[in-house]
Amino acid sequence: MDQAVLRKAPYFDFDLLREQTEGLVREHAGQDTQLRGALVEFLKPLVEGAHASAKAQLEDDGDGRACAAGLSAFQDELIRFAYEFTTTHVYRAENPSTAERMAVVAQGGYGRGLLAPGSDIDLLFLLPYKQTAWGESVAEYMLYLLWDLGFKVGHAARTISQCVRLSMADMTIRTALLDSRLILGDEKLFAEYLHRFRREVLDVDARAFVEAKLAEQYSRHSRAGGSRYLVEPNVKEGTGGLRDLHTLHWLAKHIFPDQAEEEFVEAGVFTPGEYSSFRRCEFFLWTVRCHLHFLTGRAEERLSFDLQRAMAERLGYRDHGGLSGVERFMKHYFMIALEVGQLTRIVCTALELKQLKSVPSLNALFAPFNWRRRAKLRRTSDFRIENGRISTVAKDAFSADPVNFIRLFVLCDESQAALSPEVLRQIRANFRFIDEDLRRNPAANRLFMKLLTSARDPEAVLRKMTEAGVLSRFIPEFGRVVSMMQFNMYHHYTVNEHLVRTVGYLAAIERGQHTAEHPLASEIVKAIDNRRALYVAALLHDVAKGRGEDHSIAGARLARELCPRLGLTASETETVSWLIEHHLTMSLFAQSRDLNDPKTIKDFAEIVQSRERLKLLLVLTVCDICAVGPGTWTGWKGQLLRTLYFETEPMLGGGHTELTRSERLSRAQDALRERLSDWPDEHLDRFINRHYPAYWLRTDLDVIAEHARLTRDAEQRDSAIVTHISTDAFRGVTQLTLLAPNHPWLLAMVAGACTGAGANIADAQISTTRDGMALDTIHLEREFDRAEDEERRARKIAASIESMLMGETTVVDVIKSKATGTSRLSAFCVEPQVIIDNTLSDALTVIEINGLDRPGLLYEVTREISNLNLDIASAHIATFGEKAVDVFYVTDLTGKKITSSSREALIRERLTRVLRETQDPELELS
């Protein structure tokens, strides 16, 4: 680090600057506009140098709060200089009247003496009783000077009476004025303003302010996504961010306006430990925020994926203990967000009670615990409920009986009462009593299992236990994943939040709240025998993440150790362990395997082995996918899971018998004859004779019937290319069925047309007839709410395919017509992988590709497969955030499996090369 750059704030010499600008004044005497322009050009390097010095200081000592304080000090001095320059050389008041007094005041965040590199500057020009021409001119000149220097300046010119009146009517203005700080000007005027603001506003209307700020905080959290565990958090406005600390500061400042922040401990706002926590969180968040502004060159507040890795490197996080550097940085961030949540929950509630303690809430009047039950509770336990909040009867409630740590949350759930600030402080002070003795205590574990499986709202109570710091200590295995994020675009939340939400979805499905969206899961959850095991598996299925090994296997091992402690039987323990080990299996089979291939169903049935496990795994899989985040669950995933369930269930009932190939062929054709019984025999025979045996063995009856109608339509229209479009909102797909002359690159053309239309292929079933036609069924992920919009997009895709087949356009033109961005994807690295497996199907070779997703990838892969002289029988397309996982069932051109090791090596090499491609691909068909 160049020590010469490490200058102290305010980063320039005021007297020297005054001397240096005297020459500009002489050069442009009498030319105010030219003078301002020359001054701006002179000051620009000064501003750039100040920001460079602040950045150098930040990189040297890592103190973001000091950086923000330094930038605020620089801004103060620059504004003082601007005022002096303006009143001395431009609008000099020779004999100023009392009306020409002025105070320039910093307010808002700038008023607190902290300014991020890209933040706005909030100024108040305080006037004695009315604006004068002189005051207006001075303020205008200063503002234009600051704007020309590139600063974003918010400003107001008000009298003291206006400040008082507006702050009574507008809580935003009052909040900004709370942190008023005199930069320069009339000290008596500013002192009079402070006196009237405190006497006429702060002393008479605290309750309304507290209510408004808490309501504003709730609204802000809702807009930011609700959870403090969103994996792309907003450092300023997000839950657990700086604004939460600001809210705490504002509430305390309103109630204790004469106290500085460091005096809030003496005033009783903070305990000494809480004040240390406040400072620690503030230091970290300011450091992150200042680095973020410098990194992006703008007032960026969101830690998006494309910034997280660079931020982790700037802050010195390295790979360690199974976590990458960026994951360790984000875990630290979420730990701070959790601490901010704990702190603001305690202190804000205490300040709220201080103002609202005489007002019982409406919720309290209708709470489950009436006054009789509350009185009995106080007589028979260590807790009491007052004003809708739970507190302890004695200060030693937790040290005398640590089981009370769990009893408290049982009571919290049963009474639907909040936790008082006192009880939250007592929990923090007594963490040492959540020890191995408590973890082994049978009563404590029984109570916890009651909470998990029988609570009114298990998701809410588990989240409260997490944020109070109890759950991570009672179940240390869970504690290891608190605040842990996975650096990918698939998971929306940290691991602990995902697990709690999984339990929440399970409870909601069991209560019948998702029957429309999850009909099968809602039905079979009523018939499961191992309900306790299912809840425990939902809570623990990802607890082994970040350990440097397969988290499913490691999690199963942890479950065998933990479940007996929780009171589960040996049989339940084995069920939980099996569910955790296989919690991804059903999703993998459903989304990546051909469900029309009997081998797929047989393989899955061998893993599951019983109907009870099949039910449990289906429900757990549904809850797991839903809890990943908004938009992750789709109707198509639901359809795949239901298909796999219904295909597997008969094989687990003991009544399934293996049919011969010819018997299965005959049954499929007979079923079609029965379905289309109104068709003439010659039409049915002609359709049946067009298809190879494999078609009948792999294709669903509904699809075959649709194909038959499409084929008849083509014959009647005497058309070589026909399409049929149908939408299904419940399954979340639009189905495009295509009959066309077979072409080696037909699926590649389909993929290109979908890319051009901005559509994602979820699944593709490809068939070839004996007379050289291709009969393909393509399932597109649904994007629009209205069926008409889906059909319009599908018709565009169909038209593009037909145009390409007829040679009227090329895939290049179609794909390049759709501009797509890849900035978020560029933050990730997915190691390309090509897996070739001949054991997953009796008749087909399965190729699985894993790589970084990008626009046009499916087209490039299918084109390369076609160039390798392979026939694609079916394609199963899945995207997990930034990761593409596509599976193709293929044969060679003679309809045989790929068995040559040299051929496999060539396929693997060519497809890996496609996956590694990072530049714009060459789109022409070879």
Side-chain angles (χ1 to χ4, degrees):
M1 178 64 64
D2 184 356
Q3 294 300 316
V5 179
L6 290 178
R7 293 181 293 163
K8 292 184 178 181
Y11 311 122
F12 72 95
D13 186 316
F14 191 99
D15 294 332
L16 179 61
L17 180 62
R18 181 192 291 130
E19 293 176 12
Q20 290 172 333
T21 53
E22 289 293 338
L24 294 177
V25 175
R26 290 191 295 272
E27 184 179 346
H28 298 283
Q31 301 173 317
D32 292 349
T33 303
Q34 291 87 340
L35 175 60
R36 193 179 78 215
L39 183 62
V40 167
E41 292 305 313
F42 185 83
L43 291 177
K44 279 182 178 179
L46 181 80
V47 173
E48 293 170 0
H51 274 246
S53 295
K55 182 180 179 183
Q57 170 261 310
L58 177 65
E59 293 172 348
D60 181 64
D61 62 18
D63 188 340
R65 197 179 190 281
C67 174
L71 287 170
S72 176
F74 164 73
Q75 201 67 52
D76 287 354
E77 288 301 292
L78 185 64
I79 289 171
R80 289 190 184 102
F81 170 79
Y83 180 83
E84 180 183 289
F85 187 92
T86 304
T87 56
T88 302
H89 301 298
V90 184
Y91 296 109
R92 186 181 184 91
E94 297 294 343
N95 295 297
S97 66
T98 56
E100 289 173 336
R101 292 185 297 151
M102 177 188 290
V104 180
V105 179
Q107 55 181 356
Y110 179 35
R112 289 190 297 277
L114 298 170
L115 200 60
S119 290
D120 296 357
I121 300 160
D122 199 356
L123 293 178
L124 169 66
F125 293 93
L126 188 64
L127 310 170
Y129 49 85
K130 68 176 182 178
Q131 178 68 282
T132 65
W134 175 84
E136 185 174 355
S137 297
V138 169
E140 183 180 272
Y141 194 90
M142 290 176 63
L143 289 171
Y144 274 109
L145 181 62
L146 293 171
W147 286 330
D148 289 346
L149 286 170
F151 295 108
K152 294 172 287 184
V153 186
H155 67 283
R158 300 189 184 112
T159 66
I160 296 174
S161 294
Q162 287 174 328
C163 289
V164 170
R165 185 176 67 253
L166 290 170
S167 62
M168 288 295 289
D170 189 322
M171 292 300 174
T172 301
I173 292 176
R174 188 188 305 188
T175 303
L177 292 176
L178 263 179
D179 290 309
S180 300
R181 177 175 59 83
L182 181 66
I183 300 175
L184 61 94
D186 196 312
E187 294 181 3
K188 288 185 178 180
L189 179 65
F190 183 70
E192 182 186 351
Y193 150 75
L194 283 182
H195 175 72
R196 286 191 58 187
F197 181 65
R198 291 173 183 176
R199 187 189 65 200
E200 299 177 33
V201 179
L202 303 186
D203 292 347
V204 301
D205 197 29
R207 178 178 295 174
F209 183 79
V210 171
E211 290 176 337
K213 286 292 114 181
L214 293 177
E216 179 186 288
Q217 183 182 57
Y218 177 81
S219 175
R220 175 168 47 80
H221 288 177
S222 298
R223 289 195 307 271
S227 174
R228 74 182 76 257
Y229 301 110
L230 285 169
V231 294
E232 291 186 291
N234 187 304
V235 177
K236 180 182 177 184
E237 301 288 347
T239 309
L242 271 170
R243 190 63 83 207
D244 282 356
L245 294 180
H246 295 162
T247 298
L248 195 159
H249 163 88
W250 291 326
L251 296 180
K253 193 71 175 175
H254 198 295
I255 299 169
F256 302 103
D258 294 324
Q259 306 290 327
E261 251 181 23
E262 56 271 17
E263 297 173 320
F264 284 162
V265 174
E266 186 178 340
V269 176
F270 294 117
T271 66
E274 287 165 355
Y275 183 67
S276 296
S277 175
F278 179 94
R279 281 298 191 201
R280 181 170 57 252
C281 294
E282 186 185 41
F283 175 92
F284 177 84
L285 291 172
W286 267 110
T287 299
V288 171
R289 189 183 184 205
C290 288
H291 271 296
L292 196 56
H293 283 203
F294 280 128
L295 177 65
T296 59
R298 61 180 184 274
E300 178 60 64
E301 310 293 356
R302 185 163 168 258
L303 265 174
S304 55
F305 286 127
D306 55 319
L307 299 173
Q308 288 174 12
R309 194 184 298 278
M311 285 292 294
E313 292 173 357
R314 274 175 169 253
L315 293 165
Y317 292 86
R318 301 289 181 262
D319 298 356
H320 180 72
L323 295 178
S324 65
V326 65
E327 289 170 335
R328 292 183 65 228
F329 161 55
M330 293 307 297
K331 180 167 185 176
H332 189 182
Y333 178 90
F334 289 118
M335 291 296 290
I336 291 293
L338 177 59
E339 191 170 352
V340 170
Q342 293 169 342
L343 187 63
T344 55
R345 191 177 305 107
I346 292 171
V347 179
C348 286
T349 304
L351 294 173
E352 178 190 17
L353 286 174
K354 186 177 181 68
Q355 294 302 312
L356 311 177
K357 59 186 176 184
S358 62
V359 185
S361 69
L362 187 64
N363 288 340
L365 298 177
F366 295 100
F369 273 38
N370 57 30
W371 69 270
R372 293 181 188 276
R373 293 189 69 185
R374 293 199 298 272
K376 182 180 179 182
L377 174 72
R378 185 164 185 167
R379 291 194 309 272
T380 59
S381 78
D382 293 322
F383 301 105
R384 63 187 178 193
I385 299 177
E386 294 178 348
N387 292 316
R389 289 176 172 82
I390 304 171
S391 58
T392 58
V393 174
K395 290 185 177 180
D396 66 347
F398 296 110
S399 59
D401 186 1
V403 178
N404 279 330
F405 282 107
I406 312 301
R407 290 194 187 103
L408 171 65
F409 291 96
V410 173
L411 175 60
C412 183
D413 178 71
E414 291 176 346
S415 65
Q416 295 295 286
L419 301 179
S420 69
E422 293 79 11
V423 82
L424 288 169
R425 281 171 169 152
Q426 286 176 300
I427 289 172
R428 289 166 66 94
N430 289 280
F431 276 152
R432 65 188 182 279
F433 294 105
I434 308 178
D435 55 15
E436 196 60 29
D437 289 341
L438 179 62
R439 296 183 199 110
R440 295 291 175 185
N441 187 296
N445 284 287
R446 280 196 301 272
L447 286 169
F448 178 75
M449 286 302 298
K450 177 183 178 182
L451 266 182
L452 180 62
T453 62
S454 304
R456 288 168 175 259
D457 188 350
E459 178 180 353
V461 76
L462 287 171
R463 189 172 289 115
K464 287 177 182 177
M465 290 184 77
T466 302
E467 300 199 342
V470 172
L471 185 55
S472 60
R473 289 169 172 82
F474 186 66
I475 303 180
E477 295 85 353
F478 183 89
R480 281 193 59 161
V481 297
V482 169
S483 299
M484 181 187 292
M485 66 91 73
Q486 299 155 89
F487 188 63
N488 58 55
M489 287 172 57
Y490 180 62
H491 292 92
H492 295 228
Y493 304 104
T494 57
V495 177
N496 63 290
E497 179 69 4
H498 167 69
L499 293 174
V500 168
R501 285 174 179 260
T502 303
V503 173
Y505 269 101
L506 174 56
I509 287 174
E510 197 173 35
R511 289 193 296 264
Q513 295 177 353
H514 294 300
T515 52
E517 190 177 5
H518 308 296
L520 179 59
S522 300
E523 181 62 32
I524 65 175
V525 77
K526 304 171 187 174
I528 60 174
D529 297 325
N530 288 272
R531 182 175 176 274
R532 295 204 314 166
L534 180 57
Y535 269 91
V536 173
L539 179 65
L540 301 179
H541 69 273
D542 279 345
V543 291
K545 285 194 169 179
R547 292 174 181 257
E549 58 180 314
D550 187 322
H551 78 281
S552 300
I553 295 173
R557 185 174 64 248
L558 290 174
R560 293 188 195 97
E561 300 169 0
L562 177 61
C563 289
R565 192 205 99 185
L566 295 174
L568 271 63
T569 66
S571 175
E572 288 175 318
T573 297
E574 182 56 34
T575 298
V576 172
S577 179
W578 182 88
L579 282 171
I580 292 175
E581 183 175 349
H582 294 285
H583 73 272
L584 298 175
T585 300
M586 194 167 192
S587 176
L588 176 67
F589 268 76
Q591 297 185 65
S592 302
R593 298 281 290 273
D594 189 344
L595 302 184
N596 291 313
D597 190 324
K599 184 72 161 54
T600 296
I601 307 304
K602 183 179 178 181
D603 290 348
F604 183 65
E606 288 178 354
I607 294 172
V608 177
Q609 296 185 341
S610 75
R611 285 189 172 186
E612 174 69 6
R613 283 185 170 181
L614 179 63
K615 294 174 188 175
L616 293 168
L617 192 56
L618 183 279
V619 176
L620 178 60
T621 302
V622 169
C623 297
D624 187 14
I625 295 174
C626 289
V628 167
T632 305
W633 176 265
T634 63
W636 178 243
K637 291 177 183 176
Q639 179 62 28
L640 293 173
L641 290 170
R642 287 188 293 273
T643 299
L644 180 56
Y645 179 91
F646 286 126
E647 290 294 322
T648 306
E649 188 182 32
M651 298 190 71
L652 302 173
H656 180 81
T657 57
E658 190 74 39
L659 299 175
T660 66
R661 181 180 175 87
S662 59
E663 287 172 331
R664 290 168 55 215
L665 189 67
S666 297
R667 282 196 176 191
Q669 294 174 352
D670 290 343
L672 179 66
R673 292 182 187 277
E674 184 177 346
R675 172 71 66 89
L676 303 179
S677 57
D678 57 332
W679 278 36
D681 288 343
E682 62 270 21
H683 289 184
L684 275 170
D685 290 340
R686 187 162 63 248
F687 177 79
I688 289 171
N689 290 334
R690 294 181 75 166
H691 293 282
Y692 295 103
Y695 173 80
W696 301 99
L697 301 176
R698 294 175 47 255
T699 311
D700 180 76
L701 176 61
D702 290 335
V703 175
I704 294 175
E706 182 61 47
H707 288 174
R709 296 186 186 98
L710 187 68
T711 303
R712 186 175 66 173
D713 181 45
E715 291 174 348
Q716 291 173 348
R717 292 163 51 186
D718 193 24
S719 175
I721 304 173
V722 291
T723 56
H724 178 265
I725 297 165
S726 62
T727 63
D728 190 327
F730 177 66
R731 291 196 302 159
V733 292
T734 294
Q735 181 173 296
L736 172 65
T737 307
L738 169 71
L739 176 67
N742 194 22
H743 190 290
W745 298 288
L746 181 57
L747 183 57
M749 292 180 179
V750 172
C754 290
T755 299
N760 294 321
I761 297 176
D763 197 77
Q765 200 76 36
I766 293 92
S767 302
T768 305
T769 65
R770 296 179 188 273
D771 54 352
M773 300 294 287
L775 193 49
D776 299 348
T777 301
I778 313 297
H779 291 106
L780 308 173
E781 289 182 5
R782 190 179 178 95
E783 180 179 356
F784 303 104
D785 293 330
R786 301 193 328 154
E788 308 92 89
D789 295 328
E790 282 293 320
E791 290 169 359
R792 186 180 303 110
R793 183 178 65 159
R795 284 196 295 271
K796 177 183 177 181
I797 293 170
S800 294
I801 296 169
E802 185 170 350
S803 179
M804 284 186 279
L805 285 170
M806 296 178 67
E808 297 172 351
T809 189
T810 67
V811 181
V812 178
D813 298 329
V814 172
I815 291 182
K816 289 189 174 179
S817 68
K818 178 70 176 180
T820 51
T822 60
S823 59
R824 297 186 80 216
L825 291 172
S826 64
F828 301 95
C829 178
V830 177
E831 184 62 27
Q833 187 177 29
V834 178
I835 302 168
I836 301 174
D837 197 320
N838 277 308
T839 67
L840 301 180
S841 174
D842 290 332
L844 302 161
T845 294
V846 178
I847 301 175
E848 177 182 327
I849 66 105
N850 294 258
L852 183 65
D853 194 23
R854 63 175 184 267
L857 176 63
L858 181 59
Y859 159 73
E860 297 169 56
V861 171
T862 52
R863 178 197 63 179
E864 196 63 34
I865 290 175
S866 297
N867 288 340
L868 286 162
N869 294 320
L870 300 175
D871 272 343
I872 300 173
S874 67
H876 311 277
I877 314 304
T879 304
F880 300 93
E882 75 284 358
K883 184 178 182 179
V885 180
D886 300 340
V887 176
F888 304 91
Y889 282 64
V890 305
T891 65
D892 62 19
L893 296 183
T894 65
K896 301 291 179 59
K897 282 187 174 185
I898 312 303
T899 56
S900 165
S901 58
S902 59
R903 186 85 190 279
E904 287 186 8
L906 177 63
I907 294 170
R908 196 174 287 109
E909 177 191 346
R910 296 267 291 272
L911 291 179
T912 300
R913 189 186 308 155
V914 171
L915 294 174
R916 291 192 184 281
E917 178 65 58
T918 57
Q919 305 302 316
D920 290 338
E922 174 58 52
L923 297 174
E924 295 178 0
L925 292 172
S926 55

